[in-house]
Structures are given as C-alpha cells and as structure tokens.
Amino acid sequence: MEENSILFSYNRRSVARLPFRPTLFTRNTGLQAENILIPYRKGTKWGFCNIQKRLIIPCLYDAVRKFKNGIAIVCKNNKWGIITNNGNELISCRYDAIEMNIETILSVKQGGKWGLTDIFGMEIISCKYDFICKFLKGYAELENEDKKGILSITGEEILPPKYQDIKNLGNGYFAVCPNKRWGLVDSCGQEITPCKFNCFDIYDCSLFRVSDNHGWGIITSDGTEIVSCHYTIMENIKNGLSKVKTNGKWGYINTKGEIAVPCIYKQIGDFSDGLARCLYNGHWGFVDMSGHEVIACKYDMVNNFQEQLAGVCKNNRWGIINNLGDVKAPFRYTFIGNFNNGKAEIAVNDRLGIINKNFKVMLFSGYESIKPACKNAYSVHLNGYWTLINSEGLSLTSTVYDAIARFNDTMIRVKIKGKWGIIDYTGREIVPCRYDKIELPRDEVARVYNKSLTGLINIQGKEVVRCQYKHIGKFSNGLAWVETNSKSGFINKDGKEVIPCKYKWVWEFEDNLAIAGLENNTIGFVHTNGATYWED
C-alpha cells in the first residue's frame, strides 16, 4: 500500500518524500469534459466520476491512480490491479505494487520481488528481481542482490545480474563493470572489449570515450581504437568539437576523433561567435573551428567574442577588434568588458563609461563602477552608494541607494536601509522602499516579502496581494496556492482568494484540478471553480 499510496501524507518542504506527483489525466486536447474521469472519494473508498460529479466507476477501492491511456492503477485490500475507463478489471487486485513502466508494460511486485506484465495482465517475466528500472532505449536495468543486469523489452535477460554497474550506451551497446574496470558488450551479451578501462562513456553516435592509466582515448562500437588513450583531459562534445589536453597543451578534436585544433596552446577557451581565444608563447589570439589562427597571438589579454566584437589588450591598453581582426576602437582604454545587448563597460584612467556597437563612448567622472540598469539608464557606484544616471551622465534621481538591481526592461529594484522598492528608468518612484525583498517577476507578478510574510505586486509595481501569506506558490491554470495560519487555498492574479484557505495542504492545479489534504487526514480533488470531488 505504501509504495502506491495516493498521498496519504504530505510535507510541502520535503516534496521528495511524495510517492508520486499527482496528475489526473493525460493531456489529450481532443478529450471532452464529460469523458474525463476524476478520482472521487466517498468516505474511505475511491472511484471515478466525471466533471459533473456523476459517478462512473463505483467507490470500491482503497486508493487509485489517475487514468492514463484508458487504464488506471487501483488498490483493494492492500493489493493492486488495473481497470479500464468503463470499470472493467484488466488485472485483478493481486499484486503488492504496480508501476507503469512504459506505455504497454507494467512493473509488478509480489513477494518482495519485481516482474513485468503487459496491461492485460499477460506475464512477460515472473517476479524474481529485487528491482526493475524503467525501459530506456529498448532495455531495462535489473537488480538482484546488489548486482545489475539488462532485460530486453520482450523480457529476455540478455545480461544476467552479475555486474557492479552498467551503462546503457544506446543502439544495443552496454558498458559493464564487474569489478572496478569497464568493458563493452552488445545486446547479445557478446564481449566486444575486455573490462580493462577506468572509465567508459558515450563520445558521439557509435563512438565511445574510454580511459586507462595513460589517459583518454576513443574506440568504435566494434572495439577498434581510433584514438589512443593519451589525452589527460577529454571534455564533452560541444558545437561538434571536444576540448582535449596532452603534454600540458590544449586543442580540439572533432566527433570522429580527428584533430581539429592542434594541441599547441597553453590555454584555449570555448568557442564563441565561431572563435576561441588561445594562448601561445605568452600571447593571446583567436583560432577558428578548423584550427586556423584567424587572429594572430599578439595580444597581452583578450575577451571572448560577443556580438562579433572582442576587447583586446596590448601594452596595457585596451581596444576593440571585429572577428576579422580589424581594429574598431583604438588602444586607449584601461579596461573593456564583454559586449552585452550592444554595450560594453569601459574605463579610461579613473573615468568609467559605456561604449556601444557604433563605438560611441559615454564617459563619466568620479564613479567607482558603472553598469547598464535598464533601457537608457545606468547604475553608478560611489563611496558605498548607488544612484542612477542617463546616457548623457545626468543624474536621474537625487536619492542614493544601498543597492540597485534590475526588475524588468523599464524598472529597477532599489534598496534603502534594508528595504526594497522600485523606480523606473527615468528615476520616478514606482514602489516605495518598504519590502524586505522583491523577487524578479514571473507569470506577470513578483513576490514581495515583509516580516516573513509574502505578497504580490504586478509588473507595473501595483500591490495585488499584501504581505499576509506564509507561502505563495507558482501559478497554474491561473491560480496559485497560498498558506496562512497553517491552512491553504488559492488566489488568482488579481489577488482574490477564490478558494478559501481551509485545507491542510494543497498542490498546484493541473488541467483545472488540484489535490487537497483535509482535516481528517484524507485527501480529495478541487476544481478551479471551487468544486470538490469527495464526500465524507
């Protein structure tokens, strides 16, 4: 009963303890409301009704699961079975536990052991394993006495449970580890390589990344070594290339294991805008994915390319180049940051500023830091405080703040004496500094906090829910769960408590239905219109 329980207990702050996350029916957009079956509780027994509460399947069961693909898992007298959506019994309630494995296969438990049946109860494999995982790529991992094996989708035991660990590599290949070393076998159980590798993983398609005491290499699915184990580091493939290191030097190889960028660089970065920064003989340049050094290693320091531009440093002065190496801004800056949304931070001696993609410079005197805030506004830092200026360097507000953070494209969160408020890009106050915390907006609202209580403001900064709830959950189907005085209910985005806080706990809505915990330690389902699907 415990393994298939339909949430007889709940702890909101320990969701991992839930046996499963309840949902009610599959997402079939053609499904008509009158055909939807909802778990319905009458006293301590469960059945199924339609949206209008007309009982379709009598309340005969101790617990039920949702309908999926026309079948539901049900429990009677601590034994589990399967019924159809017209109430017919496909599998009598005779198993200790039932779990959906894949669409047409069930994992079933009896006498402490797991087996497999189809949805009509036809045995695929008897209950003889300690555990059977879900099928993945046509195969399922099994366990017996802490050893692992592999089942095919027909129930054939292609690898007996004798391995310490197994990885399903796809296409009928498996990495197996009987005792600390890894080898390769196929779906017939045929050994392709002996268990001699320290690590074994997918590289690309039918190629595998392996390591031994000498380093990392690559083998094919027939065990042929195409790259010897000599790389000290071989990273995962990214953008068709893998970063590798050998003899203290970095380069890249392609998906076939062929050298794309030779291992000659002391350092090499990730590719950005098709180029990677590289360090050779103490100087930085850029290399493309074919290994061509398109910008010679002649700079003291370089940034990554962003938006086809990069800051580069020579003789302690920074300039800007494009991806052809052409100098677009002269070497006169003491610092240039990365471009983001068409702008980059710059410094000229003790003056900070911003440069745009047209290389127009806006310099401001006397500030310790400057960052784009929103729209045409910039936050600047001086003597421990922040304020807001425009692109001309003019102050947008006479107020100084302890902290400034973005709210959205036109508004900024600001903090004074431990309290947060909001101003817009012109410096106009939208929300006074009165909250302990303001989160970024999500679902067109933002959570605000005061004295450990939570409220909501909309994206215009208007308070729609004062700080009165202990918790406010995420919105689903237009409603969010709330908790106050150890009771839970639901509010809409206008802040109206459309379902009063009278339940011990609730879960998010899905397909307009949510599960709720009641005072008598039972549960039931609630509709977004407030209708309930139980009777005590």
Side-chain angles (χ1 to χ4, degrees):
M1 182 79 160
E2 182 177 280
E3 289 172 282
N4 281 266
S5 167
I6 189 169
L7 293 178
F8 286 118
S9 61
Y10 177 84
N11 182 332
R12 189 187 309 287
R13 282 156 294 281
S14 184
V15 177
R17 294 171 57 188
L18 298 180
F20 67 97
R21 186 180 187 273
T23 55
L24 300 173
F25 38 81
T26 54
R27 296 182 180 277
N28 184 345
T29 55
L31 197 63
Q32 299 300 311
E34 60 268 21
N35 294 326
I36 294 171
L37 293 183
I38 301 166
Y40 186 88
R41 183 178 58 78
K42 188 173 183 179
T44 60
K45 298 296 182 180
W46 287 84
F48 293 89
C49 70
N50 61 15
I51 290 290
Q52 292 79 26
K53 297 188 183 181
R54 184 168 69 87
L55 207 59
I56 305 299
I57 298 174
C59 295
L60 304 172
Y61 301 102
D62 302 323
V64 296
R65 294 275 190 94
K66 66 168 185 173
F67 267 95
K68 185 174 183 180
N69 299 323
I71 63 171
I73 301 173
V74 296
C75 177
K76 187 185 291 184
N77 299 324
N78 287 339
K79 297 292 182 180
W80 292 82
I82 299 289
I83 61 172
T84 65
N85 53 13
N86 58 12
N88 290 337
E89 196 175 78
L90 285 179
I91 299 177
S92 63
C93 293
R94 62 179 184 266
Y95 290 106
D96 299 331
I98 296 180
E99 298 287 345
M100 289 297 300
N101 195 301
I102 57 174
E103 190 170 296
T104 58
I105 295 179
L106 304 171
S107 295
V108 294
K109 187 178 185 182
Q110 202 163 45
K113 297 288 187 177
W114 287 89
L116 299 173
T117 74
D118 65 18
I119 59 174
F120 301 103
M122 182 69 68
E123 184 179 276
I124 298 172
I125 193 164
S126 61
C127 295
K128 60 181 181 179
Y129 297 111
D130 292 342
F131 191 70
I132 299 175
C133 297
K134 286 188 178 294
F135 278 92
L136 177 67
K137 302 173 185 176
Y139 300 93
E141 189 178 299
L142 61 91
E143 289 185 22
N144 245 358
E145 298 178 355
D146 295 324
K147 297 293 184 179
K148 297 179 179 180
I150 293 291
L151 287 174
S152 73
I153 205 162
T154 61
E156 180 187 0
E157 187 183 274
I158 63 170
L159 294 179
K162 64 178 184 179
Y163 298 103
Q164 191 179 71
D165 204 357
I166 291 179
K167 295 179 181 178
N168 185 348
L169 303 173
N171 299 316
Y173 294 100
F174 305 90
V176 295
C177 177
N179 188 16
K180 295 183 180 179
R181 298 283 182 172
W182 290 85
L184 183 67
V185 299
D186 63 18
S187 57
C188 298
Q190 184 71 37
E191 181 184 275
I192 298 172
T193 68
C195 294
K196 63 179 183 178
F197 298 107
N198 298 332
C199 295
F200 208 112
D201 209 346
I202 297 172
Y203 181 70
D204 184 65
C205 297
S206 58
L207 298 180
F208 306 111
R209 181 175 59 166
V210 295
S211 74
D212 60 16
N213 293 334
H214 303 288
W216 289 89
I218 298 172
I219 65 171
T220 65
S221 57
D222 64 4
T224 303
E225 181 186 87
I226 62 170
V227 176
S228 63
C229 293
H230 69 282
Y231 291 112
T232 52
I233 297 176
M234 182 183 293
E235 296 187 358
N236 291 330
I237 293 174
K238 188 176 182 181
N239 298 320
L241 297 176
S242 170
K243 190 188 296 186
V244 291
K245 184 180 184 181
T246 183
N247 298 323
K249 303 291 186 178
W250 288 90
Y252 277 92
I253 59 175
N254 63 21
T255 55
K256 297 178 181 179
E258 300 165 340
I259 293 173
V261 179
C263 291
I264 60 174
Y265 298 104
K266 184 70 174 177
Q267 293 184 45
I268 196 165
D270 293 334
F271 281 93
S272 177
D273 287 348
L275 298 176
R277 61 194 191 113
C278 52
L279 178 64
Y280 185 76
N281 286 340
H283 290 89
W284 289 87
F286 292 89
V287 64
D288 66 16
M289 290 184 171
S290 65
H292 177 54
E293 203 172 278
V294 295
I295 298 171
C297 292
K298 59 184 179 180
Y299 297 108
D300 301 329
M301 182 60 69
V302 296
N303 295 334
N304 288 325
F305 269 93
Q306 300 286 344
E307 303 175 15
Q308 310 301 320
L309 296 171
V312 294
C313 179
K314 197 171 186 179
N315 300 323
N316 293 323
R317 288 288 168 173
W318 286 79
I320 296 173
I321 61 172
N322 65 14
N323 55 3
L324 299 176
D326 300 326
V327 176
K328 307 302 289 186
F331 290 85
R332 65 184 184 190
Y333 302 99
T334 50
F335 170 77
I336 294 178
N338 284 325
F339 275 86
N340 184 24
N341 294 323
K343 298 183 180 70
E345 297 174 48
I346 59 171
V348 179
N349 299 325
D350 61 346
R351 301 181 71 191
L352 300 178
I354 299 290
I355 189 169
N356 65 21
K357 292 186 72 172
N358 296 320
F359 311 107
K360 179 182 177 181
V361 174
M362 297 162 281
L363 284 175
F364 315 110
S365 298
Y367 298 117
E368 297 165 359
S369 180
I370 180 168
K371 295 182 182 297
C374 71
K375 208 169 181 178
N376 295 318
Y378 303 88
S379 56
V380 290
H381 188 253
L382 180 64
N383 297 328
Y385 293 98
W386 292 86
T387 190
L388 205 65
I389 62 174
N390 64 16
S391 58
E392 306 300 322
L394 300 175
S395 179
L396 295 173
T397 173
S398 59
T399 307
V400 293
Y401 303 100
D402 300 323
I404 288 180
R406 186 179 184 276
F407 183 71
N408 58 27
D409 289 341
T410 59
M411 293 193 287
I412 307 154
R413 293 170 289 170
V414 291
K415 185 180 183 182
I416 298 177
K417 295 181 179 179
K419 295 291 186 179
W420 286 88
I422 294 176
I423 61 176
D424 68 11
Y425 69 97
T426 68
R428 182 172 63 95
E429 183 182 85
I430 305 298
V431 177
C433 291
R434 62 189 181 196
Y435 296 111
D436 295 335
K437 181 181 177 182
I438 300 175
E439 291 185 355
L440 287 171
R442 190 177 69 174
D443 300 321
E444 299 182 341
V445 292
R447 284 157 184 77
V448 292
Y449 301 86
N450 249 344
K451 298 179 180 178
S452 300
L453 295 176
T454 311
L456 293 176
I457 60 175
N458 61 22
I459 54 176
Q460 287 78 39
K462 179 183 177 182
E463 186 176 81
V464 293
V465 179
R466 64 182 178 85
C467 293
Q468 59 179 311
Y469 294 108
K470 185 177 181 180
H471 299 288
I472 297 179
K474 69 177 183 180
F475 279 89
S476 55
N477 295 145
L479 301 180
W481 62 264
V482 292
E483 181 184 339
T484 183
N485 298 322
S486 300
K487 301 291 183 184
S488 296
F490 291 91
I491 60 172
N492 62 21
K493 289 184 179 179
D494 294 325
K496 182 180 179 181
E497 198 172 286
V498 293
I499 297 177
C501 290
K502 59 182 179 180
Y503 301 110
K504 289 183 71 174
W505 54 264
V506 294
W507 198 251
E508 289 92 354
F509 276 98
E510 185 170 350
D511 297 312
N512 295 311
L513 291 159
I515 193 168
L518 310 178
E519 286 300 323
N520 56 1
N521 290 324
T522 59
I523 64 168
F525 291 88
V526 183
H527 196 275
T528 49
N529 63 14
T532 56
Y533 293 90
W534 69 82
E535 53 184 293
D536 289 310

